[in-house]
Amino acid sequence: MSTTPRSALSLGATVLTATVALYMALVALGNITDFGTNQQFVQHVLAMDTTFKDDDLMWRAVTSKGLQNAAYVAIIVWETLAALVLIYGTWFWARHDQDRARRFSTYGLLMVMVLFGAGFLAIGGEWFSMWQSEDWNGLDAAMRVFLLSGVVLVVVNLPSGAGRSAT
């Protein structure tokens, strides 16, 4: 039995979506079960206490522990929701419901890209100058996840070939 291009593409989308879903579920679980480790990361980035201390930028710093913790909890909630949406998308891929699979996979992948692109790269990296920190710089990791999610988003949304006429 040979694999048709349509089923191979569907299998690829399933595996890639499941991979990002697993990654996000493990990230969320890690942040929930080892709350303090990345809590410190978020606190240092928001406080800007390991940056160059440029007076023109330091007004952006958030030093309130309450606001820092609220931001961290919001990140964990977003990670958890993204993981659940991607798991749901994977389930639809496994059931061969491509329309719903594409829709939910796209939603979940965009959630990941918003978190890692807008949240960590733009806001953390630029607004809070995370790029200046030798100790609390997560830009490389954020870029890897952002790019992985972008590639998976492209694969998930490739035309399936359904409805094409043979020529």
Side-chain angles (χ1 to χ4, degrees):
M1 178 177 181
S2 65
T3 303
T4 63
R6 180 177 177 186
S7 65
L9 181 59
S10 179
L11 177 62
T14 304
V15 170
L16 289 171
T17 301
T19 299
V20 180
L22 175 63
Y23 175 79
M24 290 307 297
L26 291 174
V27 167
L29 180 66
N31 285 337
I32 292 166
T33 60
D34 182 19
F35 190 85
T37 298
N38 281 329
Q39 178 188 31
Q40 287 181 36
F41 184 91
V42 170
Q43 287 175 340
H44 285 289
V45 169
L46 295 180
M48 299 174 67
D49 57 1
T50 60
T51 63
F52 300 163
K53 305 277 192 298
D54 184 337
D55 290 337
D56 293 330
L57 299 178
M58 290 307 293
W59 63 269
R60 300 175 182 176
V62 174
T63 56
S64 163
K65 296 289 186 203
L67 289 176
Q68 292 170 345
N69 289 334
Y72 184 48
V73 168
I75 289 168
I76 295 170
V77 168
W78 190 263
E79 291 166 345
T80 303
L81 291 173
L84 291 172
V85 171
L86 288 166
I87 290 166
Y88 200 45
T90 301
W91 183 75
F92 280 124
W93 282 116
R95 293 183 43 92
H96 305 288
D97 185 343
Q98 288 194 3
D99 289 337
R100 288 184 183 161
R102 265 198 189 92
R103 184 170 49 249
F104 284 97
S105 297
T106 297
Y107 296 156
L109 291 163
L110 289 174
M111 289 175 74
V112 173
M113 294 182 79
V114 165
L115 177 62
F116 285 87
F120 297 141
L121 294 173
I123 296 170
E126 290 303 317
W127 185 257
F128 291 108
S129 300
M130 181 170 54
W131 65 270
Q132 295 179 0
S133 178
E134 290 182 22
D135 298 320
W136 302 102
N137 186 339
L139 291 175
D140 287 343
M143 182 59 77
R144 283 192 303 269
V145 177
F146 183 79
L147 290 175
L148 169 65
S149 300
V151 168
V152 176
L153 183 64
V154 169
V155 171
V156 159
N157 285 286
L158 286 173
S160 67
R164 277 194 207 152
S165 60
T167 54

